[in-house]
Structure formats: structure tokens, C-alpha cells
Amino acid sequence: MTIKVLVVDDSSFFRRRVSEIINASPALEVIATANNGQEAIDMVIKHKPDVVTMDIEMPVMNGITAVQKIMASTPVPILMFSSLTHQGASATLDALEAGACDFLPKKFEDIARDKEEAITLLQQRIQTIARRRVYRVTEKTAESVHTSTSHSVNNPSARKSITPGAALTALQRANERQQISAKSTLNSNPSSAPVAATKPMRTKASGKSYKVLAIGTSTGGPVALQKILTALPSDFKLPIVLIQHMPGTFTKAFADRLNSNCRIAVKEAENGDILRAGCAYLAPGGKQMMVGPNGQIKILDGSAALNYKPSVDITFASLSKSYADKVLAIVLTGMGADGRDGARLLKDKGAEIWAQDEASCVVYGMPQAVTKAGIATESIALEQVAKRILVELKHE
């Protein structure tokens, strides 16, 4: 069945160029175009597309506001186009928080080695997010995400802290809700093909000891990481290593945003940084990040042949050598299988590997890879990951 696409951009040249690329695939069809956010809202209601591609800077109504309104009324998977600037990165992160599924640079040559690769990437990205179930996001929630979290950082008492006891109770309740929800879904629509069920999560620590927490992710990662990291206390016991597939001009803006929203410290990793507890280090885009046995970070250019820069596999592999079984590694939402090979090396050394469950992923690619390979010991819903981490670490 053909995937129907709405293309939104104020540039007639870009609308035409994107439409040509999309229509070149027999699986895709551009059913309409719009030149501003308000037109996009009207077209979504009229044409009911399967996917929307959205520019950010447009007259009448910008892309971020359009995303907020679309996701509040007629939710649909949205792919943002962004400029590779600090300002463009900040606006793109706003759009992702508002409900957009993913983003691509407007200059395709910035993410592809040649024209054919760029065409394939765009077509594949649209097909991938078209399969994603999206949910209504209220405008009030979307508009207040950044403001409310920033306010809570400035006023720590206003932000609810998760204690070990509270985390344990929340996990137990989540398990109960999960079982009830699964029964309800099967009873109400037994002929449907449900998302693979997530096993009830452990509500007790495994008893292992750790020296570092490592998290790898791609599509859907910015929102997922923010949800997890903002729930961690300022006295978090471990250093955190973050690998997010993202362009080089985006990672500094993303790290700064996380730092302003979280109680822990968050920074873009730099060559020579030494891991310290309560601080998260985000791998810089366009580079590879490795961690030595003394906790020293190495930032390298890496091979041009590698598909991902940064690569989860590369960082996980370095941690397997430096920290062996003292690593708690988590693979979150994302396309492809990056992280599987590195996670296997960690598991061979005795490390603990978790994966995000299918139902809460934007794209169930990377977590599925480690789960299908039998590497992940747990499959966890996104909203429970932070609580599960605190229970595992017996945080006090």
C-alpha cells in the first residue's frame, strides 16, 4: 500500500525537489504540498496523509507551532527538515519535543556521500516513521515542556525526586497496569496484531555493581534521553556515557539543553575528559568516542567507512575493554542495528544489557537487534527506564 506524504516548505524549489525524490519510490506518493504551517494543518485534516515532511522557518505559522497543533488534533508522523546551525538545532529539538518523529538536514549533501545515497536515506526515513503509531500531544503540554523543566531546575524543590522506594513502587504498579492493558487489548480486539508484549520488569536489583552507565540511541533518542535523564537525582552514583546519532552542529545544543533541564550535569564530551559520577557525557556528532580504563575520554575522527559517527558499537566496545562487567548498558529507540555488536562484547564480559520495549519506541530497530540476538536481559518501557535504573543501583 502506497504511503501518502504531505510536503510542507515555503520554498517552491525545495517542495518540488523533495516531491520528486519521494515520488521516485513506488512505495511513496506526494498527495499534497503546503507553503506554511497553517496550510499544513488544513491539508492534514483534508488529505489525511500517512507522513508529513515539515520545514521549520515559514511565514504565517512556523513548523514548530504547526507540529504542536497537528499533534494535538490529528496526530501523524512528522519528519522535520532543519538547517545545520546551532539555532536550527535548538528549533529542531523543540519540534521533536512537540511530537515530531525525526529530522533530516535540508542540505542532503551534509548527511550523504552522493545524490543516490541521499535519495535512498530520505525515502527510507519516510517509510520507517510511517509505520510508527503516534499519539495525541496536547498543545499545553508541548508548549510547556522546555519552560516547565527549566523552571524546575532553577527551583529544585518544585521538581519531584524519585527515591528508591518510590521507584520500586512505580515499577510494581507499572507491571500491574501493563498486564491489565495487555488483557484489555486482547479482549477488545483479538484479531489485531499487537505489538510484542513486554515482560513484567524486575522490581529488585540484580546485585551487580557498576562503574558506568552507557546509553545508545538514534531516531527518537532526544526525547527519550530527556525523559530518562531529567528523572535522575543530582547525587547520581555513576558517570553516564551517551551516544546519540546526531550531526556535529546539533550535539552541543542538545547537551546544553539537557544540562539546563537535568539535576545531573550534562556536557558534550571533549577529548581528555575524565568520567565523574553525576555527569553525563554526550558523544560529539561526526566523531567517535572511546573510554579508556582510567575513565579518560578519547574523541577520534574514526573511519569514513563507518555508517554512524558517533557509533554506539565503537563506544560500547571501548567500555567492554575498560570496564568489563561493571557496565550497565541500555539501547534505546533507533533505526538499524548500531549497538548490537558492542553490546555483545559487553555481555561477553559480564555486563548488564537492557533494551527499550517495542511499544514505547519511535523506531524499534536498535533495541530489536539486541533483543533478537539474545543480548538484552530486559525489555523496558521508556517511562520506566529511569525508575528501573534507580532500583538497580539501589540509589540513596
Side-chain angles (χ1 to χ4, degrees), residues 45-355:
I45 295 171
K46 180 179 179 181
H47 295 283
K48 296 180 174 56
D50 299 309
V51 173
V52 175
T53 68
M54 182 85 70
D55 189 22
I56 292 178
E57 295 296 332
M58 294 181 291
V60 183
M61 181 185 292
N62 64 47
I64 298 170
T65 302
V67 170
Q68 291 171 347
K69 292 184 178 296
I70 289 170
M71 296 308 294
S73 59
T74 50
V76 60
I78 300 175
L79 175 68
M80 303 301 298
F81 283 114
S82 170
S83 62
L84 288 183
T85 64
H86 185 87
Q87 183 178 1
S90 181
T92 302
L93 292 169
D94 285 337
L96 293 173
E97 286 184 6
C101 287
D102 201 2
F103 69 94
L104 284 175
K106 290 197 75 169
K107 292 183 178 180
F108 296 153
E109 57 268 27
D110 289 328
I111 52 169
R113 287 173 289 236
D114 55 53
K115 181 180 177 181
E116 290 304 315
E117 183 181 8
I119 289 172
T120 300
L121 180 61
L122 174 56
Q123 293 172 345
Q124 289 179 343
R125 198 66 62 91
I126 291 173
Q127 292 181 60
T128 297
I129 69 170
R131 294 190 290 267
R132 170 63 184 163
R133 290 176 302 280
V134 291
Y135 303 95
R136 185 170 281 105
V137 180
T138 63
E139 285 186 67
K140 182 177 180 181
T141 301
E143 291 171 354
S144 64
V145 168
H146 188 61
T147 303
S148 63
T149 49
S150 296
H151 174 73
S152 297
V153 171
N154 295 329
N155 181 13
S157 63
R159 177 178 283 181
K160 187 176 180 181
S161 179
I162 302 176
T163 64
L168 178 58
T169 301
L171 283 178
Q172 291 169 334
R173 288 175 179 169
N175 287 340
E176 292 170 2
R177 288 197 304 270
Q178 200 170 60
Q179 292 164 358
I180 293 171
S181 175
K183 289 178 182 177
S184 174
T185 300
L186 289 173
N187 292 336
S188 63
N189 189 9
S191 63
S192 65
V195 172
T198 302
K199 295 179 181 179
M201 291 164 289
R202 291 207 310 244
T203 54
K204 292 183 180 180
S206 66
K208 292 183 176 181
S209 62
Y210 303 98
K211 291 185 177 180
V212 62
L213 169 64
I215 305 176
T217 185
S218 181
T219 308
V223 173
L225 287 174
Q226 179 164 291
K227 183 178 287 291
I228 294 167
L229 298 178
T230 54
L232 301 182
S234 58
D235 62 344
F236 190 69
K237 294 178 178 180
L238 301 179
I240 305 171
V241 174
L242 307 173
I243 311 96
Q244 162 74 58
H245 294 167
M246 188 174 272
T249 51
F250 276 50
T251 43
K252 178 63 166 61
F254 184 39
D256 289 346
R257 174 174 296 222
L258 288 173
N259 187 60
S260 68
N261 289 352
C262 297
R263 286 185 293 273
I264 62 169
V266 183
K267 72 185 298 286
E268 183 183 49
E270 298 176 84
N271 192 54
D273 279 346
I274 303 295
L275 298 185
R276 61 181 177 84
C279 184
Y281 301 83
L282 179 67
K287 303 286 185 180
Q288 299 296 355
M289 179 170 72
M290 302 178 71
V291 183
N294 60 352
Q296 186 173 49
I297 291 176
K298 292 182 180 179
I299 304 298
L300 309 167
D301 286 335
S303 170
L306 290 171
N307 289 330
Y308 305 109
K309 298 176 74 174
S311 164
V312 182
D313 280 332
I314 294 294
T315 303
F316 277 14
S318 72
L319 289 170
S320 73
K321 294 180 180 179
S322 302
Y323 288 91
D325 63 336
K326 302 301 181 184
V327 180
L328 172 56
I330 306 175
V331 178
L332 299 178
T333 174
M335 282 196 292
D338 186 29
R340 179 185 56 198
D341 295 340
R344 182 179 284 111
L345 292 173
L346 282 168
K347 188 177 180 68
D348 289 344
K349 293 292 183 68
E352 185 80 2
I353 313 296
W354 297 347

